[in-house]
Each structure stands twice: as C-alpha cells, then as structure tokens.
Amino acid sequence: MKDILIVWDIDGTLINSKGCGRAAMEKAFYQLFGLEKAFKEVNMAGRLDAMIVNDAFDKNNIINRDIDLFFDIYCKVLEEMLIDKDYIKILPGVKAILEHNSQEYNIFHALGTGNIEKGARIKLKPHNLNKYFKVGAFGDEAIERWEMVHKAIQRAQAFNGIIYNRENIYVIGDTKLDIECAKILGIKSIAVATGAHSAELLREYAPDYLLESLEDKNKFLGIFG
Ligand SMILES: [Mg+2]
C-alpha cells in the first residue's frame, strides 16, 4: 500500500476564515499599543504569523516588541470572535476528503500553516477539524515557509515511523507561496483556487495540480492514482 503525506495550509484551503486572523491581529494591536489598522499595509496571504506581526511592528515603529504577549492577546481575541460558530466556513469537500479511507493508499494529513499553533487550533475547532491533524508545523517555528513545511514533513515521518518517498508528499494551499515551497523541497504541489488567488494566477506559478475547489472528491483523489 502506497503511503501518502499531505501537508495542508489552513486559510483559504481548509476554511474560509473571513479575515478573522487579520481582524483579531488588528484588535490585539489596538489593545497593546492603542493603534488602529496597524496591518493595513501588511500582506498576510500565505505568510507566517511571526513575519506578519514583525512587519506590523516595523511599519508602526514599535520598539518594545513582546511577540509572545502579542500572540497571547491575539489568541484570546480570536477565541472570543469564534464563539460565533458560523463565523468561519469550512470549504466545500474538505470534510469528505479528510474522512476518506482507501484500500489502495494510506493518506496521512498534517498541518503546514503560517498560523501559530494555538491560533491554528482555535480556527479549526468550530468545525471539529483538529482531530484530523495529529501533527503539524506552524508560523512561529521558521523564518521561511518552506522550512516550516519541512518541519511538518519531519514530524509526520517521526509520528508514523515512515520515511515518505518525495514523490508521495504533497503540499496543498491557496497561494503562490505554497507552490513555491513545494518546488524548493522537491515535493508535489496542489493549488486550490478557494482563497487568496484565482486559478489563472495560480497557474502562472505552475503547480503540479490545480483545482478550482475541493468539492469533487474523486477528482482530488485522482491525483494519487
Ligand atoms: Mg492559505
């Protein structure tokens, strides 16, 4: 049986978080520094949380940079926002794919996300998605996205006691950055146009696979042969 590893992005891939990450960061920044719209010139899609927050510190000339305190407040704000269970939408087809069992291949799902771990787990909780992801790597663990995905792969391998063949490792995400990090690591990329970028734009970055959405489970599973 073929062992397959899929490293999942969160925002725009598993869920439509409707900007809750940005809104929670803006609120946390306001609580700490009394500054509004601190992230308005900060690009977030596909980037690591720690980089995003450091950019906001730079742009707002913050000298006293306690990023751990910032993330504590961010997580509290995020949790409060997501008491409304309908705030976040799970993207079509995601649950069916995560639930799928196969006779021909064994798929293991890991997280590889720019979110810090606590933030990621808060975002996945309303739709009960945490149970599908025993391991992952997160946005406060690396400088570059590919390093974070590399950690996710190492953790999945350690967890399962398997060295995955590179051609059976996939990274799935909604931005060009997800595609680029797959290329750096020599693994396969699945781009899905349910988030930040259109299919036309994603195509320019030449992903191995490009899907409009994850709604068609069979089309998705067709990737693995
Ligand atoms: Mg994303």
Side-chain angles (χ1 to χ4, degrees):
M1 192 146 88
K2 194 155 77 173
D3 284 302
I4 289 165
L5 171 61
I6 306 178
V7 180
W8 289 81
D9 169 60
I10 293 184
D11 299 292
T13 305
L14 289 168
I15 55 171
N16 176 356
S17 52
K18 291 192 280 187
C20 70
R22 177 179 286 271
M25 283 194 184
E26 300 266 13
K27 280 188 186 177
F29 216 90
Y30 182 75
Q31 282 189 29
L32 267 173
F33 306 111
L35 294 169
E36 288 187 42
K37 303 256 178 275
F39 293 80
K40 72 171 184 292
E41 287 171 24
V42 179
N43 183 23
M44 291 194 176
R47 298 184 67 220
L48 306 180
D49 276 0
M51 292 169 66
I52 290 169
V53 174
N54 278 318
D55 273 7
F57 285 162
D58 283 345
K59 287 189 194 296
N60 294 280
N61 302 312
I62 303 297
I63 295 158
N64 185 12
R65 299 173 169 212
D66 189 340
I67 201 162
D68 294 332
L69 176 64
F70 177 87
F71 282 136
D72 280 350
I73 296 172
Y74 162 72
C75 286
K76 280 194 192 103
V77 172
L78 194 61
E79 252 171 342
E80 281 164 22
M81 287 171 75
L82 300 186
I83 288 171
D84 172 7
K85 293 215 180 302
D86 295 327
Y87 194 111
I88 278 179
K89 300 281 181 226
I90 184 168
L91 285 162
V94 162
K95 204 129 197 180
I97 287 168
L98 294 174
E99 287 282 347
H100 180 78
N101 286 314
S102 167
Q103 305 283 312
E104 304 126 76
Y105 42 74
N106 180 30
I107 299 179
F108 185 76
H109 301 288
L111 291 172
T113 171
N115 287 273
I116 58 167
E117 179 162 20
K118 194 169 174 200
R121 297 294 180 188
I122 292 168
K123 286 183 181 178
L124 294 178
K125 200 171 158 206
H127 294 283
N128 205 15
L129 297 179
N130 279 310
K131 64 181 176 182
Y132 299 106
F133 301 100
K134 303 278 185 262
V135 302
F138 303 90
D140 48 352
E141 296 191 291
I143 304 293
E144 302 286 346
R145 192 172 180 95
W146 69 266
E147 292 174 319
M148 178 273 293
V149 170
H150 183 62
K151 276 191 187 177
I153 294 166
Q154 287 177 319
R155 285 185 189 145
Q157 294 190 148
F159 185 85
N160 291 313
I162 293 170
I163 300 295
Y164 288 93
N165 190 324
R166 271 178 193 271
E167 66 191 32
N168 295 329
I169 305 176
Y170 297 79
V171 61
I172 179 166
D174 66 309
T175 71
K176 63 177 184 172
L177 298 172
D178 301 283
I179 301 167
E180 282 171 358
C181 80
K183 289 189 194 301
I184 290 168
L185 291 166
I187 58 178
K188 302 270 178 62
S189 56
I190 305 170
V192 58
T194 46
H197 297 333
S198 66
E200 291 72 42
L201 193 146
L202 290 169
R203 189 172 289 116
E204 288 176 25
Y205 292 87
D208 293 293
Y209 303 92
L210 175 60
L211 301 171
E212 288 285 347
S213 80
L214 300 180
E215 214 162 351
D216 185 342
K217 185 177 89 169
N218 292 330
K219 190 171 177 187
F220 180 81
L221 294 170
I223 288 172
F224 312 110

